[in-house]
Amino acid sequence: EAGVAQSPRYKIIEKRQSVAFWCNPISGHATLYWYQQILGQGPKLLIQFQNNGVVDDSQLPKDRFSAERLKGVDSTLKIQPAKLEDSAVYLCASSYLGGHEQYFGPGTRLTVT
Amino acid sequence: QKEVEQNSGPLSVPEGAIASLNCTYSDRGSQSFFWYRQYSGKSPELIMFIYSNGDKEDGRFTAQLNKASQYVSLLIRDSQPSDSATYLCAVKGFGNEKLTFGTGTRLTIIP
């Protein structure tokens, strides 16, 4: 079974620029998560989708971050405009509906200069 | 706001010894508890989860939960150098509630 795919793996941008990340979950997984992991910290949930509906986006900075999951499969996370403090690894994860285990993708390492 | 506390380490353990990793959580309503392992530069992978008070064993790993004390631990027996990683504790409430992660404990197994 193919794992969670993410792209790009690395991205360097200047502050105030925009960036987008893409995630393709494991086939059949209804729930998709985007996490932000700052160096030395645990992952922090930004947004959780169930199929193409949002379950939790309470920690998403909505003035600059947006996410969508069209057709309940792939998802994109966008940052516009980026700030220095957005430098982090952005992890996508997926799980079966009601499943205990979240499967993480390899992540996208974002550096904002 | 749920909080999950872990000692950031680093925790150094000789090869073959038992490594003990601890985690406390603030929300008494938390229902399920997870241990993830994260190698440097890699993404987290689930080791174990536990729901009920007591111990749960899986190979060299044992998770222990004490809901009254709001404490969960992970024991790694016969520690191997390949166990060197950061161990993340995560807790979850009911239903679709999100996972809340601790900051992780960095474990180093010394050959």
Side-chain angles (χ1 to χ4, degrees):
Chain A
E1 156 179 278
V4 176
Q6 289 187 249
S7 68
R9 293 294 312 278
Y10 305 91
K11 190 74 177 179
I12 301 174
I13 61 173
E14 295 182 352
K15 59 184 178 184
R16 291 187 289 274
Q17 287 186 323
S18 62
V19 64
F21 312 127
W22 173 83
C23 173
N24 180 243
I26 292 172
S27 178
H29 281 194
T31 309
L32 185 147
Y33 314 80
W34 281 104
Y35 288 91
Q36 179 193 59
Q37 187 173 23
I38 293 172
L39 188 65
Q41 298 183 19
K44 182 182 82 171
L45 181 73
L46 293 175
I47 190 166
Q48 177 181 338
F49 292 97
Q50 187 167 297
N51 295 310
N52 59 351
V54 175
V55 173
D56 188 332
D57 64 357
S58 57
Q59 299 188 105
L60 186 74
K62 298 180 184 64
D63 57 336
R64 298 184 301 107
F65 285 65
S66 64
E68 60 181 8
R69 190 182 185 198
L70 299 176
K71 301 180 182 178
V73 181
D74 292 8
S75 177
T76 56
L77 176 70
K78 297 179 182 178
I79 308 175
Q80 182 179 9
K83 293 185 175 181
L84 295 176
E85 59 261 36
D86 298 332
S87 294
V89 175
Y90 291 84
L91 295 163
C92 179
S94 68
S95 68
Y96 287 111
L97 188 63
H100 310 306
E101 183 165 6
Q102 294 184 21
Y103 296 82
F104 284 83
T108 297
R109 183 177 298 276
L110 173 67
T111 302
V112 182
T113 63
Chain B
Q1 179 77 6
K2 291 183 182 178
E3 291 185 0
V4 178
E5 301 282 343
Q6 294 182 256
N7 188 324
S8 61
L11 175 66
S12 297
V13 173
E15 183 176 356
I18 296 175
S20 177
L21 303 159
N22 304 316
C23 172
T24 59
Y25 58 95
S26 63
D27 186 354
R28 284 194 172 275
S30 298
Q31 294 294 306
S32 45
F33 307 86
F34 302 79
W35 283 101
Y36 282 80
R37 178 176 61 201
Q38 187 172 28
Y39 292 113
S40 181
K42 302 295 185 183
S43 54
E45 55 179 336
L46 183 67
I47 300 173
M48 293 186 69
F49 58 86
I50 186 168
Y51 301 123
S52 305
N53 275 330
D55 296 358
K56 180 181 178 182
E57 188 174 317
D58 184 359
R60 296 188 296 112
F61 298 94
T62 299
Q64 299 176 317
L65 175 62
N66 183 326
K67 288 187 176 181
S69 299
Q70 295 176 240
Y71 177 93
V72 58
S73 65
L74 180 70
L75 301 178
I76 307 174
R77 289 182 300 282
D78 187 24
S79 297
Q80 303 296 310
S82 59
D83 295 326
S84 297
T86 296
Y87 288 80
L88 296 162
C89 173
V91 304
K92 187 171 181 289
F94 287 101
N96 275 333
E97 269 196 47
K98 63 177 179 283
L99 271 182
T100 300
F101 283 86
T103 54
T105 298
R106 188 156 57 94
L107 174 67
T108 300
I109 305 301
I110 303 167

